[in-house]
Amino acid sequence: MILDLLIGFGTPVAGFILSRAKILPRREWYLLWLGIAIGLGFEIPFNLAGDDFLRILVDWPLPRITVNICHSFWDGLFFMCGVGLCRVILRSDRFLSKFSFSAWAIQTAWGGAQAFIIELLNNGVLWRYAVRPYNPAFLTIGEEQYTILVQLIWLVIPTLFYLGSLRLSRVLAAKTG
């Protein structure tokens, strides 16, 4: 839980420091915040749904809403990892200025894979999603059930992030051009 807090709340702080030091380019600083905003778009409703949807299993030292804010910072970091993965695999930044099916596929695969791994590591340890008709279990390991809604979200939102990244890159290029 301490690591969860440190990395989550440390992400925007580290991003700010790196951007001020001119290590993190302005576009990436904005992309981080785009990812955080997208994360807030589903993390806050998860909080509002309460324990009937998502039960926190640890003694979180801050108000419950901070769990979701912290995890939206993580979401921004995960999106940026997807951007970095695209850079490594595609060996270019062109995917941020012109649509690339390969970049979209990489980000979508990354989104789904990291969401699945995070659920395997944390469901039943830090949190547990309630099995409901709108959030059925798709996998059971031992006595722990893993639900589908978060997996589906992370198969859709990389598209939103990628299209937003393209738009943001065009806006920033127009302002500097």
Side-chain angles (χ1 to χ4, degrees):
M1 176 185 58
I2 298 300
L3 192 59
D4 189 4
L5 283 162
L6 287 175
I7 294 173
F9 287 109
T11 293
V13 172
F16 177 76
I17 292 168
L18 292 172
S19 70
R20 296 297 287 176
K22 307 283 189 223
I23 296 169
L24 183 68
R26 183 171 71 139
R27 175 178 61 190
E28 277 68 8
W29 172 241
Y30 288 130
L31 289 175
L32 173 64
W33 283 99
L34 172 63
I36 291 168
I38 291 169
L40 284 169
F42 64 90
E43 295 285 358
I44 297 300
F46 285 4
N47 179 65
L48 294 173
D51 285 346
D52 193 46
F53 176 71
L54 172 64
R55 174 166 290 174
I56 306 302
L57 302 176
V58 295
D59 290 330
W60 190 261
L62 302 169
R64 181 182 169 120
I65 188 72
T66 61
V67 172
N68 306 94
I69 293 169
C70 179
H71 290 166
S72 71
F73 293 149
W74 273 95
D75 296 333
L77 180 60
F78 290 135
F79 282 120
M80 294 308 295
C81 289
V83 170
L85 194 58
C86 286
R87 279 196 179 108
V88 168
I89 293 170
L90 301 175
R91 297 189 172 121
S92 159
D93 264 7
R94 288 190 310 260
F95 69 92
L96 286 171
S97 56
K98 183 178 179 192
F99 182 83
S100 163
F101 179 81
S102 296
W104 170 81
I106 290 165
Q107 289 188 16
T108 301
W110 164 249
Q114 62 80 22
F116 184 67
I117 291 166
I118 287 167
E119 288 304 310
L120 285 176
L121 294 173
N122 296 299
N123 187 49
V125 177
L126 297 178
W127 62 73
R128 180 174 291 121
Y129 290 97
V131 175
R132 300 282 184 254
Y134 58 86
N135 191 26
F138 74 97
L139 176 67
T140 301
I141 298 176
E143 294 183 20
E144 203 59 51
Q145 293 184 305
Y146 297 86
T147 60
I148 195 72
L149 190 58
V150 171
Q151 302 308 306
L152 294 175
I153 287 170
W154 273 99
L155 287 176
V156 172
I157 62 174
T159 300
L160 182 61
F161 177 78
Y162 184 49
L163 294 176
S165 298
L166 292 170
R167 176 80 175 128
L168 181 62
S169 293
R170 281 193 288 275
V171 167
L172 292 173
K175 285 185 177 185
T176 60

